[in-house]
Amino acid sequence: MRFFYLITGLLLWQMSTAQQNTPALSDEFVLVIHGGAGTILKKNMTPEKEKAYNDALEMALKIGYDTLKKGGTALDAVEMAVRYMEDCPLFNAGKGAVFTNEGKNELDAAIMNGKTLAAGSIAGVTTIKNPISTARAVMEKSNHVMLIGKGAEKFAAENHQTIVDPSYFFTEQRWEALQDAKREDSLKQTQKTPDHLALKQPENRDYKYGTVGAVALDRYGNLAAATSTGGMTNKKFGRVGDAPIIGAGTYANNKTCAISCTGWGEYFIRLTMAKTISDMMEFGNWKLTDATNEMVMKRLPALGGDGGLIALDKDGNITLPFCTEGMYRGFVRQDGKTTVKIYKE
Amino acid sequence: MRFFYLITGLLLWQMSTAQQNTPALSDEFVLVIHGGAGTILKKNMTPEKEKAYNDALEMALKIGYDTLKKGGTALDAVEMAVRYMEDCPLFNAGKGAVFTNEGKNELDAAIMNGKTLAAGSIAGVTTIKNPISTARAVMEKSNHVMLIGKGAEKFAAENHQTIVDPSYFFTEQRWEALQDAKREDSLKQTQKTPDHLALKQPENRDYKYGTVGAVALDRYGNLAAATSTGGMTNKKFGRVGDAPIIGAGTYANNKTCAISCTGWGEYFIRLTMAKTISDMMEFGNWKLTDATNEMVMKRLPALGGDGGLIALDKDGNITLPFCTEGMYRGFVRQDGKTTVKIYKE
């Protein structure tokens, strides 16, 4: 009988230790998403189109929220939310990707884990259904951070990613946008538009750029960021924007913040947008909103670019600044109350 | 006669104004170069090989020095110095590029102008003789920052870059290195080496990675940085390292510093190495050497990576830290006295 008490005691002690070693999950978690920034004006939007965008943003938030609520990681949440937007033809990523000058869809994506600074990224792929999931596979199943082109597609195939025929990415609306862009380009050449203005986005044309992205803080206190894009309509020469560049369009670090950008990628690369904001916080003690405002509302337009971003710090503070007319965006916290917006406030 | 005096007076005034508007060229200028960091040990080097490396570094410095001395820009100097190293089969860039797993040479390069934050970069190209010059053409002749693969090659051809047959990049020494690497990989697979150690560089094998780079401060007070590489021997899946990533392996900003990195690229990308050092200076008032030491000697090995970099601030201070056994490196100032080194001090 003495042995029985001893063993029961040991078992109880063991159980209480195990419980202590599993940290209690925080009740707080946050997900922020975007579906691209651009010249989005209410006067040019139909109620049907507006509703479609709002519904899609709501659904992406719901998918990420459910993941976080049941104890999924920030990485899971941003991957799931971005996957949904990749599969939705409304956004310039995955199924809704814009066309290159050669009439192809070249996709880029990146993901980063704020806990470990692990990162994965792919660029210039044409046959991967969900680039964000392949970016995650690069992070978790390869020794590399960035894979491009045919090589990235080979890696995807070997790692059980869904491969599709390039025709999967065809949508009528994006094809028309390419034809518009080509017409405009030839018009500009006749009119001798200065080169540096040739990429300036015309009013109510969000075809030029567009991106989807998500940042999340999970119940373990970890941050993650994910971005996916079809790039720029009518892009040439294998152009790569900021989305797949770690530190430019995508960055996450538990010490500071998680960020996903959208906009005129060349300027985001030159400013190393996302990492600069993190560094302002880490080395200059800037607050998240001050740092993002300085970069998005001042330095980005000062250099000649435009766009926006979503940012989330380790304490759950969020900010969604943009210097364009609009940005498809939304967020949700642990209470499950979603907020989605399109235009300027 | 009164008119004669008036006109002479006006002319003299005009000339003196013109002179005032042309700023006197500074007498100070600096060029710093590297030819890659790695496991370079004196005991494994022959005197002939050592001399060949020293001579090549001296020549690259001389070419850049001559450019700067006669009033050439920092951009010109870094491009010229890197071009020379690309053409030299000793270094892993251009002619001396290492082979991929598929037996190809895939080249990456980037350049950045510290005055304007303009930048150009190419990745995964196989037919461009001097990737650094094409990166400069991307910066100066396109609306883009980064071009990859076949698209980048098409851009190069359209912009008068020298195109070569891929066989131009064949060198016996790199081909043997690929065979060695493959043998080792298959050995590791038999021995079940943990995946995260599979890329660890074996002693005295500088084939795994290697890069060339240059940073310069010119007589106009402008900074520039350039990096070029053949990547990693036996690399698969279109892997891209830090060299062509603006902010990771290459960065220049007149406000702070110019940096070119070499080493295990994945870690340099995850740390956004070059821009972080610039940000430590801009937002945290770190000194150049303190910032580079923190990043290269502490954070880089703490994350599990290794490598080195060259850095030059706007006041002409330089530092060349590395946490590997050696780094091919050198510098020259306005006095023309060159310093080249290979091993640890």
Side-chain angles (χ1 to χ4, degrees), chain A residues 12-326:
Chain A
L12 285 170
W13 176 77
Q14 170 82 28
M15 281 165 68
S16 76
T17 311
Q19 236 172 3
Q20 272 173 10
N21 286 347
T22 312
L25 290 190
S26 161
D27 286 333
E28 291 179 18
F29 55 91
V30 195
L31 173 71
V32 191
I33 61 170
H34 71 78
T39 314
I40 310 160
L41 293 170
K42 195 170 176 70
K43 64 172 184 184
N44 297 316
M45 186 77 94
T46 63
E48 293 74 29
K49 202 174 162 197
E50 196 173 297
K51 183 174 183 311
Y53 275 106
N54 282 333
D55 288 352
L57 291 169
E58 291 277 1
M59 185 55 79
L61 284 175
K62 187 181 160 10
I63 290 166
Y65 174 84
D66 289 346
T67 305
L68 291 170
K69 189 176 169 71
K70 61 185 178 209
T73 63
L75 274 177
D76 291 336
V78 296
E79 183 193 356
M80 290 299 118
V82 166
R83 262 183 90 104
Y84 175 80
M85 291 188 281
E86 283 179 341
D87 290 342
C88 172
L90 290 171
F91 304 106
N92 177 19
K95 174 69 186 161
V98 299
F99 284 92
T100 67
N101 179 265
E102 291 180 336
K104 295 201 283 186
N105 308 92
E106 287 177 359
L107 314 173
D108 309 331
I111 194 165
M112 187 157 183
N113 181 345
K115 184 183 178 186
T116 58
L117 300 184
S121 144
I122 57 171
V125 300
T126 59
T127 62
I128 297 173
K129 179 169 173 279
N130 289 108
I132 198 62
S133 297
T134 303
R136 184 165 178 181
V138 171
M139 175 172 77
E140 295 179 342
K141 295 175 182 169
S142 86
N143 292 305
H144 301 306
V145 170
M146 187 173 197
L147 305 180
I148 63 173
K150 295 285 165 221
E153 291 173 358
K154 196 174 163 208
F155 170 84
E158 288 183 16
N159 284 274
H160 319 295
Q161 304 293 302
T162 307
I163 303 298
V164 291
D165 188 86
S167 63
Y168 164 79
F169 298 104
F170 180 89
T171 57
E172 194 63 38
Q173 89 203 78
R174 302 300 190 189
W175 185 255
E176 285 307 318
L178 174 63
Q179 310 316 316
D180 282 359
K182 286 188 166 180
R183 267 191 298 273
E184 255 169 49
D185 265 19
S186 74
L187 204 67
K188 271 177 192 154
Q189 278 182 342
T190 330
Q191 296 171 341
K192 299 260 182 242
T193 305
D195 240 25
H196 68 284
L197 291 180
L199 291 182
K200 202 68 182 156
Q201 181 156 309
E203 189 180 307
N204 195 33
R205 295 283 169 73
D206 57 340
Y207 67 71
K208 270 287 187 186
Y209 29 79
T211 310
V212 306
V215 293
L217 174 66
D218 64 26
R219 299 178 64 189
Y220 312 92
N222 294 320
L223 291 169
T227 314
S228 181
T229 186
M232 192 176 256
T233 295
N234 201 21
K235 69 184 176 187
K236 290 180 191 172
F237 306 129
R239 176 259 188 188
V240 172
D242 62 314
I245 307 294
I246 300 303
T250 308
Y251 188 73
N253 187 338
N254 274 6
K255 264 196 205 171
T256 52
C257 59
I259 290 178
S260 170
C261 301
T262 167
W264 197 341
E266 277 71 11
Y267 291 89
F268 284 72
I269 295 177
R270 290 168 59 194
L271 291 167
T272 324
M273 179 64 79
K275 182 57 157 78
T276 302
I277 291 165
S278 169
D279 287 342
M280 292 165 89
M281 296 173 72
E282 180 173 356
F283 301 112
N285 290 314
W286 289 61
K287 282 186 189 160
L288 182 73
T289 48
D290 295 337
T292 55
N293 279 338
E294 169 72 17
M295 291 304 292
V296 175
M297 308 311 280
K298 292 184 187 167
R299 297 197 186 189
L300 176 61
L303 203 60
D306 61 9
L309 57 80
I310 53 173
L312 166 62
D313 74 14
K314 59 187 172 10
D315 301 317
N317 298 305
I318 66 173
T319 178
L320 305 84
F322 53 97
C323 64
T324 48
E325 292 299 329

Side-chain angles (χ1 to χ4, degrees), chain B residues 156-294:
Chain B
E158 288 183 17
N159 284 275
H160 319 294
Q161 304 293 302
T162 307
I163 304 297
V164 292
D165 188 85
S167 64
Y168 163 80
F169 298 104
F170 181 89
T171 57
E172 194 63 37
Q173 89 203 75
R174 302 299 190 190
W175 184 254
E176 285 306 318
L178 174 63
Q179 310 317 316
D180 282 358
K182 286 189 166 180
R183 266 192 297 274
E184 255 169 49
D185 265 18
S186 74
L187 204 66
K188 271 177 193 157
Q189 278 182 341
T190 329
Q191 296 172 343
K192 300 259 183 244
T193 305
D195 241 25
H196 68 282
L197 292 179
L199 292 180
K200 203 66 184 156
Q201 181 156 310
E203 189 180 309
N204 195 34
R205 295 283 167 73
D206 56 342
Y207 66 72
K208 270 285 187 188
Y209 29 79
T211 310
V212 306
V215 293
L217 174 67
D218 64 26
R219 298 178 65 190
Y220 311 93
N222 294 321
L223 290 169
T227 313
S228 181
T229 185
M232 192 177 256
T233 295
N234 201 21
K235 70 183 173 187
K236 292 178 190 174
F237 305 129
R239 176 258 188 189
V240 172
D242 62 314
I245 307 294
I246 300 303
T250 308
Y251 188 73
N253 186 338
N254 273 6
K255 266 196 205 170
T256 52
C257 59
I259 290 178
S260 170
C261 300
T262 167
W264 196 342
E266 277 71 11
Y267 292 89
F268 284 72
I269 295 177
R270 290 168 59 193
L271 291 167
T272 324
M273 179 63 79
K275 181 59 158 77
T276 302
I277 291 165
S278 170
D279 287 342
M280 292 166 88
M281 297 173 71
E282 180 174 356
F283 301 111
N285 290 314
W286 289 61
K287 283 187 188 159
L288 182 74
T289 48
D290 294 337
T292 55
N293 278 338
E294 170 71 18

